[in-house]
Amino acid sequence: MAQVGIVMGSDSDMPVMAKAADILEELGISYEMTIISAHREPDVFFEYAKGAEAKGFQVIIAGAGKAAHLPGMCAAVFPLPVIGVPMKTSDLGGVDSLYSIVQMPSGIPVATVAINGGQNAGILAAKILAVSDKALLERLKKYSESLKKSVQEKDAKLKEVGYKTYLMA
């Protein structure tokens, strides 16, 4: 049974949403990924959102561009946390998506990450789940430590080779 539902409005969102899936896999969290258009197939969307709790989803990560109603509609129907991922758009650079997701009415919150922030959506979902899963919390701590170590290694390389050489590497 999947713990996280990942849903997107179009296959063009896949490169961004795959980053959420990659993090979930790295942290050992099960997920199910789906493409549903809230506007083009509302009946399919409502079936998905209404059935998500029964499927075992504890969090939904919903990505959408332009009008970006998918995350908000998930939050209106699904009683557990929803994380919105605004997609960068060709028309307005994703600001349209961001505003559509973050400006929800009172009582219908959507946790929102940066434009094209699939990786952070996966991490946030893991942090939500870690509230009640000590083993997952430990894996998250190790993940954070690996990020810290990566920065320290880059700093050491910079100091070793110098600024101009580092830029050319």
Side-chain angles (χ1 to χ4, degrees), residues 124-151:
L124 182 54
K127 288 185 174 196
I128 291 167
L129 295 172
V131 168
S132 61
D133 184 335
K134 298 283 186 203
L136 176 55
L137 179 58
E138 289 307 310
R139 293 193 302 274
L140 271 167
K141 288 178 181 179
K142 286 180 183 174
Y143 175 79
S144 292
E145 191 60 36
S146 74
L147 294 177
K148 178 182 174 182
K149 184 177 179 183
S150 172
V151 172

Side-chain angles (χ1 to χ4, degrees), residues 57-153:
F57 295 174
Q58 295 173 306
V59 179
I60 290 177
I61 299 172
K66 298 194 179 201
H69 290 119
L70 189 61
M73 289 304 296
C74 283
V77 176
F78 182 65
L80 294 167
V82 174
I83 302 167
V85 182
M87 295 295 155
K88 184 174 182 182
T89 59
S90 57
D91 301 325
L92 299 172
V95 174
D96 49 343
S97 312
L98 175 65
Y99 287 163
S100 293
I101 295 171
V102 79
Q103 292 287 32
M104 292 300 297
S106 296
I108 314 293
V110 175
T112 309
V113 296
I115 296 166
N116 283 357
Q119 182 175 0
N120 274 351
I123 293 168
L124 182 54
K127 288 185 174 196
I128 291 167
L129 295 172
V131 168
S132 61
D133 184 335
K134 298 283 186 203
L136 176 55
L137 179 58
E138 289 307 310
R139 293 193 302 274
L140 271 167
K141 288 178 181 179
K142 286 180 183 174
Y143 175 79
S144 292
E145 191 60 36
S146 74
L147 294 177
K148 178 182 174 182
K149 184 177 179 183
S150 172
V151 172
Q152 290 170 340
E153 288 170 355

